Amino acid sequence: MSRETVINWALALGLLAVPFLALMQGEPFYITLATRVAILALAGVGLNLALGLGGMVSFGHAAFFGLGGYAAGILATHAFNQEPLFAWPFMVSGSNDMLLIWLVAIVLSAVVAFLIGLIALRTSGVYFIMITLAFAQMIYYFAISWPAYGGEDGLSIYVRNGFPELNTLDPIQFFLICYVVLMACLFISARLRDSRFGAALQVARQNPERLAATGIAPFNIRLVAFVISAAMTGLAGALFADLNRFVSPSMLSWHVSGEIMIFVILGGVGRLFGPLAGAALFIVMEFYLGGITEHWQFFLGIILLCVVLFVRGGILGILAGRRVHG
Amino acid sequence: MLLQIEGLQSFYGRSQALFNVNLSMEEGQVVALMGRNGMGKTTTIRSLCRIMPYRHGNVRFLDRDLAAMRPHRVARLGIGLVPEGRRCFPNLSVHENLVVAARPGAWSLERVGLLFPRLRERQNQMARTLSGGEQQMLAIGRALMTNPKLLILDEATEGLAPVIRQEIWAAVRELKGEGQSILIVDKTLKELMRVADRCTILERGANVWDGAPADLDGDIQDRFLGV
């Protein structure tokens, strides 16, 4: 077992242990904190696929995070008010079933990512960053200006959506749902990375011309990766909305895109468990330093600067050393 | 006709590199593309693979016009390029390099392993840690894994130790024996003459001589190939 595998297991088991320790200590708040880590890590896992493997620096992943959130919020609101989502050409009612909501969040994010990708992936470098940002901002302002679902004030989910056979209002059970989803997406990421598709995606980043000379279209490979990446982040958004029982345009703002990117960079770009390590550190700092000073992000900035300047592999790079292949 | 190039003209920006290249190949043939440095051999190859666009002329492969095709489409039609300078995918393992581009056909991982036993031994090694000769073998293996109808070798033995060169030439002869069509660019005239069915010499971006290796006498060699 390589050192990175050990670290990965430690991170996975560590996150799993926190809520149970919190329960024993009678501090249920920490369960929510761990759930936040799991959900934000999931958003990072999504971005890591595009950014880490594919080299696509998307500064618009908040769009997918927010769309996932709104999918949960809108469906739940309609279910709560017992109003159909739309009545024509056929009747579609809301839902408070998480599984259905996840499906909608994933499909919605994937479709939007496909359309954004079709345009944005024709560019690269700084233009790609700006185009993804521009699309995310368009969706952000659309959400603000659309009064039907709360506009700037956002939308409350009065009762957390349900999961078959589970009580999602119990923090531990909701945590476990998020945890299992995170692990499933990490598993999918690992399988993708080690597949032919993953190899082609890495080459599409390093040398698209050479990839084309072997008969694989770099654009198509990138587009598929971008769509999968967005779907995972969209799923995280749906969970995040359910965690807070609230969704607002702030989930779509560019700050969120930045934060997701920070998880990935802090944890280690392209490292499987990097986003989990990054999100955990981010939340811990936000909680502890945020308790001491309002300006905790100053320290976050310093750490981020150090990571970028001195340890290219992020937290995983410090703990597990340079990436070992295969 | 496997490949037919007529009146090919290509440009790097505003400067013209190819003025009038003509080349045709039958299936199963080995054709040597020759000429001094800078005469347009690699540019011809890059143009026909559509890695760089060409402005005038006709390139037909298996009776399909390549003009409007994107590079990966050309590769999928059956052109396997081994580019100049051992272009492997450095951050992938040998195994990944081979399987990433694999398309169904007679060539498989096992068969490439038989042709180049060294690659089998180094399956899990990263491509960038291979020696130059091994990287060249990997590049050839990768092209074969796409099961090309036409294999293009651009300076496949350049800068390699004599022993390794011999291994590569042995592999080329083996491929020829199996009926693989090959378009080959190389500096080692002696070996090239042994495998080629036909030679085409380029000078300043145009054909100047075309014929069988036996007809390529010292006079022509001095005129077009000598330094």
Side-chain angles (χ1 to χ4, degrees):
Chain A
M1 206 156 44
S2 76
R3 201 158 131 202
E4 182 160 352
T5 317
V6 177
I7 304 282
N8 290 350
W9 274 103
L11 282 168
L13 295 175
L15 178 62
L16 184 60
V18 168
F20 292 99
L21 292 175
L23 202 63
M24 276 192 278
Q25 300 285 321
E27 297 265 14
F29 173 71
Y30 289 101
I31 304 175
T32 309
L33 220 53
T35 313
R36 255 176 84 91
V37 170
I39 294 172
L40 294 178
L42 176 61
V45 169
L47 179 63
N48 202 20
L49 208 60
L51 178 62
L53 279 190
M56 294 172 272
V57 186
S58 164
F59 200 32
H61 261 49
F64 313 122
F65 193 66
L67 284 173
Y70 269 98
I74 291 174
L75 285 173
T77 306
H78 281 277
F80 186 77
N81 298 337
Q82 300 196 327
E83 290 165 350
L85 202 56
F86 45 87
W88 190 90
F90 44 84
M91 186 84 133
V92 174
S93 51
S95 170
N96 54 13
D97 178 357
M98 262 188 206
L99 291 174
L100 181 71
I101 287 171
W102 292 354
L103 183 69
V104 173
I106 288 171
V107 171
L108 185 65
S109 310
V111 169
V112 173
F114 180 78
L115 297 175
I116 293 178
L118 273 184
I119 298 168
L121 286 170
R122 296 191 188 280
T123 64
S124 61
V126 74
Y127 301 102
F128 181 79
I129 299 175
M130 285 299 127
I131 288 186
T132 47
L133 174 64
F135 275 113
Q137 288 300 91
M138 275 165 58
I139 297 172
Y140 170 72
Y141 283 110
F142 179 75
I144 281 188
S145 61
W146 198 24
Y149 295 109
E152 208 165 350
D153 299 329
L155 191 62
S156 287
I157 301 173
Y158 294 103
V159 182
R160 186 175 284 161
N161 295 305
F163 192 93
E165 306 298 322
L166 291 177
N167 174 15
T168 54
L169 290 170
D170 175 17
I172 282 274
Q173 293 192 30
F174 184 63
F175 167 78
L176 286 174
I177 291 173
C178 298
Y179 183 80
V180 168
V181 172
L182 171 65
M183 288 302 143
C185 286
L186 279 168
F187 178 73
I188 293 170
S189 289
R191 291 301 295 267
L192 280 175
R193 182 195 60 187
D194 297 334
S195 67
R196 273 181 64 183
F197 173 80
L201 181 59
Q202 292 178 59
V203 179
R205 178 187 79 217
Q206 289 156 0
N207 196 324
E209 190 183 87
R210 241 180 270 174
L211 185 65
T214 64
I216 299 170
F219 180 83
N220 300 355
I221 294 276
R222 282 208 195 99
L223 186 57
V224 171
F226 189 67
V227 166
I228 298 173
S229 157
M232 284 186 184
T233 302
L235 178 56
L239 289 171
F240 195 71
D242 255 328
L243 172 69
N244 301 325
R245 283 177 254 174
F246 177 67
V247 48
S248 78
S250 67
M251 269 179 82
L252 289 158
S253 97
W254 63 272
H255 298 93
V256 174
S257 293
E259 278 176 15
I260 301 174
M261 208 183 285
I262 288 172
F263 305 150
V264 174
I265 296 170
L266 264 187
V269 176
R271 309 295 279 252
L272 188 59
F273 274 69
L276 176 52
L281 180 66
F282 186 92
I283 297 293
V284 166
M285 284 185 67
E286 182 183 39
F287 180 65
Y288 286 101
L289 286 179
I292 300 166
T293 163
E294 223 177 288
H295 307 293
W296 68 276
Q297 293 197 332
F298 173 74
F299 299 98
L300 176 74
I302 291 179
I303 291 188
L304 195 62
L305 208 58
C306 291
V307 163
V308 173
L309 285 179
F310 304 117
V311 272
R312 276 293 177 76
I315 300 172
L316 263 281
I318 298 173
L319 295 177
R322 287 185 53 188
R323 183 155 28 165
V324 189
H325 197 81
Chain B
M1 194 67 73
L2 181 71
L3 175 70
Q4 190 155 29
I5 301 177
E6 283 170 349
L8 185 65
Q9 297 190 31
S10 286
F11 294 73
Y12 286 102
R14 285 168 67 182
S15 64
Q16 189 163 7
L18 300 184
F19 292 85
N20 182 20
V21 174
N22 299 284
L23 181 79
S24 60
M25 268 183 87
E26 301 285 349
E27 225 155 315
Q29 267 189 337
V30 174
V31 173
L33 190 58
M34 309 167 82
R36 295 192 189 96
N37 281 341
M39 291 306 172
K41 304 183 298 281
T42 296
T43 308
T44 303
I45 286 171
R46 287 171 60 86
S47 301
L48 95 90
C49 291
R50 299 283 302 143
I51 293 172
M52 64 181 281
Y54 52 85
R55 210 170 293 174
H56 302 289
N58 241 317
V59 180
R60 299 184 75 78
F61 180 72
L62 292 170
D63 273 329
R64 300 271 303 265
D65 188 2
L66 303 188
M69 259 181 227
R70 287 191 292 157
H72 73 275
R73 288 274 163 223
V74 173
R76 293 200 153 221
L77 270 186
I79 296 185
L81 172 66
V82 180
E84 196 179 7
R86 302 165 210 151
R87 305 284 165 79
C88 303
F89 302 138
N91 293 338
L92 300 183
S93 70
V94 169
H95 179 264
E96 284 172 323
N97 260 279
L98 292 174
V99 296
V100 70
R103 283 198 298 281
W107 283 98
S108 61
L109 213 51
E110 291 73 40
R111 214 171 139 203
V112 170
L114 287 175
L115 186 67
F116 296 121
R118 284 159 179 265
L119 294 184
R120 209 172 28 194
E121 290 159 24
R122 307 199 183 280
Q123 263 205 51
N124 296 318
Q125 212 168 309
M126 298 287 274
R128 66 160 176 271
T129 66
L130 297 177
S131 74
E134 287 160 351
Q135 288 190 25
Q136 189 63 63
M137 292 172 191
L138 181 56
I140 297 175
R142 187 184 66 199
L144 288 173
M145 288 292 283
T146 68
N147 281 289
K149 297 191 181 74
L150 169 64
L151 182 68
I152 302 181
L153 297 171
D154 192 358
E155 302 280 13
T157 66
E158 194 182 32
L160 298 179
V163 188
I164 308 288
R165 281 180 186 220
Q166 285 317 312
E167 273 185 58
I168 302 236
W169 281 115
V172 171
R173 284 193 293 271
E174 200 176 323
L175 290 172
K176 183 190 173 171
E178 286 163 11
Q180 174 75 54
S181 320
I182 306 175
L183 179 63
I184 185 166
V185 170
D186 211 279
K187 296 242 162 54
T188 357
L189 216 53
K190 199 180 91 201
E191 292 288 353
L192 204 51
M193 295 298 98
R194 280 176 65 192
V195 295
D197 298 308
R198 267 195 27 246
C199 304
T200 292
I201 299 181
L202 298 184
E203 187 161 78
R204 297 179 203 284
N207 302 59
V208 286
W209 192 86
D210 210 80
D215 301 331
L216 189 64
D217 54 34
D219 197 32
I220 294 166
Q221 286 186 25
D222 282 348
R223 241 175 87 199
F224 299 120
L225 304 174
V227 200

